[in-house]
Amino acid sequence: MSDADRLHELLGLPAVDFQRGSKGEDRPSAGAAAWRISVDPYASDDANVTWEDAFNAFLEAVDPSDVEALIIGQWGETYEQTSAYPIGLVVAAAGRLTSLRAVFVGDLTAEEAEISWIEQSDVTTLLTAFPDLTHLGVRGGTDVLFPPVKHASLRGLTMESGGLPAEALRGVLDSELPALERLDLWLGVSAYGGDAVVPDLAPLLAGSRFPRLRHLGLRNSELQNEIAAAIGSAPVVAQLRSLDLSNGTLGDEGAAALLDGQPLTHLTSLDLHHHFLTEAMERRVLEALEPHGVSVDLSGRCEPWNGLGPEGRYTAVAE
């Protein structure tokens, strides 16, 4: 993941890097930005600064009671310290961050840490500490934990990974999240810990788990064809407005299963970018959906690579 993949907004607020020592007049107001707190252990200005130092400086520089969105960036040597370190500090400040509605954990580029090198932890402690949180995002699947949780306010959950552990996936799907409207899961590949299989998705695909769900992303998977086939008959599709099956190994067989299943013409958008479809199948998808007003993203047709298994297909993000 490149610098272009760094978060640019959260909760509709522009992402702003908190600069220690900056004057108040040089900063937006506390509630006007999604504040990114980061330290770079290799930068001369950050060499002796911990994430705790930066976070405490942030809490003193702005009015924490007005902060609505927080982005946890690099917290040091991320392969030596798990996200439990910055998450614990944020949780400890819950009494001061009384307006917090969105948190993203692990907004790191590949130069800072490859996505599968980001050491995560139990991210549900944020949900427990902030009952009014509406959006939670996580980047990195290594050691990520998501034990089943009850949370009445969460409307959006994103988990980006090169390999999402099946245990974490099952924890998400066993959770009680009655307000959830958007779910975006990057399932990844088995080589980087993505050991979930399609049957693990059954509670989600049945459609009764998250009654308010309107957007579903099952992305970046080496099982994209099997997922597409399961989506073709999944009851959850009827309640969706947008579907994202991008960044994976989707080929003609998966796209055909998707089209031959239940109607998708009620969707407003279908995202299939980064795929392995032939031109003929691309045309078939477009002809089936675009006349009904479905916006279809088929950008990024990929060519198989030799040496990557029998089909040579690859996900957009792995290591």
Side-chain angles (χ1 to χ4, degrees):
M1 302 187 72
S2 67
D3 194 59
D5 297 303
R6 196 184 296 279
L7 229 61
H8 297 292
E9 63 89 23
L10 182 63
L11 204 66
L13 299 170
V16 173
D17 290 290
F18 173 69
Q19 303 292 334
R20 297 184 312 280
S22 61
K23 297 180 180 179
E25 59 266 24
D26 298 329
R27 294 191 301 266
S29 61
W35 293 98
R36 180 164 39 231
I37 316 297
S38 301
V39 294
D40 183 352
Y42 301 108
S44 57
D45 291 344
D46 284 353
N48 297 311
V49 177
T50 66
W51 199 88
E52 183 175 9
D53 294 332
F55 184 57
N56 286 336
F58 167 72
L59 293 176
E60 294 304 316
V62 307
D63 183 352
S65 67
D66 285 340
V67 173
E68 296 186 22
L70 186 65
I71 301 170
I72 298 176
Q74 189 172 20
W75 55 83
E77 296 285 6
T78 52
Y79 54 84
E80 294 181 353
Q81 219 165 17
T82 75
S83 66
Y85 165 50
I87 287 175
L89 294 168
V90 174
V91 166
R96 302 176 68 184
L97 294 164
T98 52
S99 296
L100 194 64
R101 297 294 178 267
V103 180
F104 190 95
V105 184
D107 186 28
L108 283 76
T109 67
E111 289 73 23
E112 294 166 334
E114 297 281 1
I115 192 169
S116 292
W117 298 358
I118 301 173
E119 299 283 342
Q120 284 291 348
S121 61
D122 182 353
V123 297
T124 65
T125 57
L126 288 163
L127 297 176
T128 302
F130 296 95
D132 294 326
L133 205 69
T134 61
H135 293 78
L136 176 62
V138 181
R139 179 173 297 162
T142 300
D143 292 331
V144 67
L145 297 175
F146 202 107
V149 65
K150 296 180 180 180
H151 196 278
S153 302
L154 193 69
R155 299 203 307 265
L157 175 62
T158 298
M159 300 190 74
E160 303 176 357
S161 76
L164 185 65
E167 183 178 2
L169 172 64
R170 288 192 288 264
V172 170
L173 302 188
D174 285 341
S175 294
E176 293 185 26
L177 306 171
L180 193 68
E181 298 171 355
R182 298 182 61 86
L183 179 61
D184 197 357
L185 303 173
W186 296 22
L187 299 176
V189 301
S190 58
Y192 288 98
D195 56 348
V197 291
V198 172
D200 291 318
L201 298 170
L204 170 64
L205 300 182
S208 57
R209 177 60 67 187
F210 307 124
R212 295 190 181 181
L213 195 68
R214 296 297 178 265
H215 169 83
L216 176 60
L218 295 173
R219 310 174 56 192
N220 196 55
S221 175
E222 62 186 351
L223 303 176
Q224 210 71 60
N225 284 322
E226 293 91 331
I227 291 170
I231 286 286
S233 60
V236 72
V237 173
Q239 71 190 63
L240 300 179
R241 296 296 174 265
S242 54
L243 176 63
D244 189 341
L245 302 178
S246 66
N247 282 358
T249 58
L250 186 71
D252 281 8
E253 56 272 46
L258 193 63
L259 292 179
D260 292 341
Q262 64 191 300
L264 302 174
T265 52
H266 66 288
L267 296 175
T268 59
S269 66
L270 174 64
D271 191 342
L272 303 178
H273 82 270
H274 181 97
H275 62 83
F276 294 83
L277 275 59
T278 60
E279 290 187 31
M281 182 55 72
E282 284 185 343
R283 287 194 299 271
R284 182 181 167 191
V285 172
L286 294 174
E287 290 169 358
L289 298 176
E290 282 194 331
H292 297 276
V294 183
S295 175
V296 182
D297 187 347
L298 284 168
S299 60
R301 183 195 304 139
C302 302
E303 295 295 331
W305 282 356
N306 292 330
L308 288 178
E311 296 177 333
R313 297 175 185 174
Y314 48 90
T315 61
V317 178
E319 184 179 10

